[in-house]
Amino acid sequence: MSVETRSKPIAVSWTEAERSAALHGYGILDTPREQDFDDLARIASEVCGTPIAVVNLVDSTRQFFKAEVGLGVSETPLETSFCVHALLSDDVTVVPDARDDPRFASNSLVTDEGGIRFYAGALLRTAAGLPIGTMCVLDTVPRTLDQHQIRTLQLLARQVMTQLELRRTLREREEALRQSEMYETRHRQIVDSATDFAIITIDLGGRVSSWNIGAENILGWTEAEMCGQPADVFFTKEDAAALIPDKEMEAARTVGRGADERWHVRKDGGIFWASGEMMPLMDDDGAHVGYLKILRDRTASKMAEERLAKSEERLNLALGASSLIGIWDWDLLADIVYADANFARVYNVDPSLASRGAPLADYLKNFHPDDLDDFRAELGRTLDAADEFSCEYRIVQPDGSIRWLLARGRVVLDDDGTPVRFPGASIDITDRKIAEQQRIVLTREMSHRIKNILAMVQAIATQTFRMVSSVEEGRTAFTGRLTALARAQDILTQKSWETADIRAVVEGALEPHRSGEDRYRIEGPAYTLTAQQGLGLSLAMHELATNAAKYGALSNDTGKVTIDWSVQPSGAFAFNWIETGGPTVAVPERRGFGSRLVERIVATYFDGAAQLAFPPEGVTFHLQGKLPVPTQPDVPSSNERSSPGNQSGPSALCEQG
């Protein structure tokens, strides 16, 4: 009998190490038997009419049978392997009679009584073209295969690879989900239970032509119930109405594969999330005769992903409502920091990268440069002493703003005392830092204001008692001036000691002297004075009102006082006090401190000049000065507030003595 080996030897472009690594990457070796692979081996045996069929995975020193029919063992050594030779072909290897093939003629599997005479194997090839095994059939008598059988063997080999790829993809997804959930709960692990594959063939009319045990387990219908039924029966009503089954078949026809990631319906009406795909089935002549659909129940993973998303949403809401920024876990040996999305965003690290792990340097790149040395020093101390870690530092945000953080963590040691992990959490302390800075500024401001007030009180006391003829007169004048000063301070306190509204100053100073609502006529635009201008104008109003009540327009029942002011766009300021209807005014024989305060001292606060006049019809006061053009007020620094040049109130009073 002649040898008819249907295979084409090829020049090997791969190394054994590459091929073995590709096989091990599927994680399939030494796994238990699975119905889906057994079904493929059974189909091969039945189609090819051989008593033996094997899904064979060839390792470097042995061959592992993931599925077998008629063999009864799970692995054999490579020394007697037929498949190790098939790896060197480009497609299908067919050995009609092994005794006539010099490669196998002396093989003990061939020479023993009842030994192997026939072999045919279709390569299991990865997407990168690396052969990792065969879908093969064997017989104890010489024979050959027709094209249909060879083609089916090839298709089954492709299905084996599809199963392997799906298995690996699902394993990787499960691992990614496990890692995510493990991080979320920090130490909790979940294991997604394995489920079978549903392998379904569909004719060109969209009706089921075969239905394996996996399909029965997953979907609930038996093969007898489903054969001849339209495939859209296990799609949801919405997907069936949207012609999703037809679109899957169209994708399988046009691009070779139709993806299936959606909800499906079971016989009992329940739904499950399926992951799978549809591929075209071809006959011996390459004609399209139907479709092969593979499904896997991925409901558990789908629900876990949804729970994870909801959990992350709740976590982010909780973090947003608190000062906790997030948590990290630093793998010290690999220098990889794993962090949640909120933590990553604050440190300007890609959240997806942080979840997979990023080097510490990625988190340090946006540290404030003035804080890096202290951070590294505390980090070094913690690692050396295996101690608790606590450090405050600033992170520069993308918009240039600064966030203060407090990081706390601890070093985890292995059994040998070697630091291996460094978990911890960061807290946003920006508000606390701002409050601390504000307290410092406020303390300095209060100290400055108190010194100014005491200096002003001292100046008023000195000037008042210097110009009076009796202690009682001095006490009365001094008390009135202190009261006016206190009212002005009240107005400034409402404005955080920085500014005062001119109308509030005027009306506050006149309040003790009101004897009727129609005695004063006050007109002028709203305008904000500085603290010193407010104090000075308040004292001037007190002096003018006191004099009017004693001797001027307010000393009778008919007198009135008109107070008005104006501010020009250029900043020119004019203020007027005009008394009418009072007793005839006589020019005083001497000028006291009050007059000098009104006429000379107040003007200095407005960079201008003032005139106090005593015409017979009533006292007048005219102030001309300059004010800054109205803008957003700048808050001076604490140093500026405390500088001697800004203490013009008490200094001016003293200088006028």
Side-chain angles (χ1 to χ4, degrees), residues 183-197:
Y183 181 75
E184 178 195 359
T185 60
R186 300 196 57 194
H187 296 293
R188 180 170 54 89
Q189 297 181 346
I190 64 168
V191 178
D192 190 35
S193 60
T195 57
D196 291 333
F197 287 99

Side-chain angles (χ1 to χ4, degrees), residues 335-349:
D335 187 28
I336 295 296
V337 179
Y338 301 91
D340 60 39
N342 196 53
F343 182 95
R345 280 189 288 269
V346 172
Y347 284 78
N348 303 322
V349 175

Side-chain angles (χ1 to χ4, degrees), residues 57-88:
L57 301 167
V58 182
D59 200 3
S60 297
T61 59
R62 59 170 178 146
Q63 52 186 7
F64 169 70
F65 305 146
K66 177 61 181 173
E68 55 84 18
V69 174
L71 204 55
V73 296
S74 62
E75 65 176 72
T76 61
L78 291 186
E79 287 77 12
T80 57
S81 172
F82 280 70
C83 294
V84 72
H85 296 280
L87 297 182
L88 303 177

Side-chain angles (χ1 to χ4, degrees), residues 533 597-610 623-624 626 648-649 651-653 655-656:
Q533 290 170 342
L597 172 66
V598 169
E599 190 171 30
R600 297 170 55 189
I601 300 175
V602 174
T604 62
Y605 300 146
F606 294 89
D607 295 329
L623 170 65
Q624 300 286 334
K626 291 184 292 185
S648 57
S651 299
L653 289 172
E655 290 167 1
Q656 298 300 325

Side-chain angles (χ1 to χ4, degrees), residues 449 453 456 460 479-512 529-542 597 605:
R449 292 298 176 186
I453 291 171
M456 184 172 287
I460 291 174
T479 299
R481 287 164 182 162
L482 283 186
T483 301
L485 179 62
R487 289 195 185 93
Q489 292 292 341
D490 287 341
I491 296 172
L492 288 173
T493 302
Q494 296 172 8
K495 296 289 186 176
S496 301
W497 297 81
E498 304 296 339
T499 59
D501 178 72
I502 186 171
R503 182 174 291 274
V505 170
V506 171
E507 291 184 348
L510 297 179
E511 185 63 30
L529 302 177
T530 67
Q532 297 298 340
Q533 290 170 342
L535 288 173
L537 188 60
S538 178
L539 291 173
M541 290 295 95
H542 167 73
L597 172 66
Y605 300 146

Side-chain angles (χ1 to χ4, degrees), residues 440-505:
I440 293 173
V441 171
L442 180 59
T443 300
R444 292 175 178 172
E445 180 67 19
M446 289 294 293
S447 174
H448 166 71
R449 292 298 176 186
I450 290 172
K451 290 177 181 178
N452 272 0
I453 291 171
L454 291 176
M456 184 172 287
V457 169
Q458 181 183 22
I460 291 174
T462 300
Q463 299 294 344
T464 299
F465 285 100
R466 179 185 297 173
M467 305 299 296
V468 297
S469 57
S470 68
V471 173
E472 184 61 31
E473 179 186 355
R475 180 164 48 247
T476 300
F478 183 62
T479 299
R481 287 164 182 162
L482 283 186
T483 301
L485 179 62
R487 289 195 185 93
Q489 292 292 341
D490 287 341
I491 296 172
L492 288 173
T493 302
Q494 296 172 8
K495 296 289 186 176
S496 301
W497 297 81
E498 304 296 339
T499 59
D501 178 72
I502 186 171
R503 182 174 291 274
V505 170

Side-chain angles (χ1 to χ4, degrees), residues 425-436:
S426 290
I427 299 173
D428 190 334
I429 58 171
T430 304
D431 290 343
R432 192 192 81 187
K433 284 294 186 178
I434 292 175
E436 289 175 354

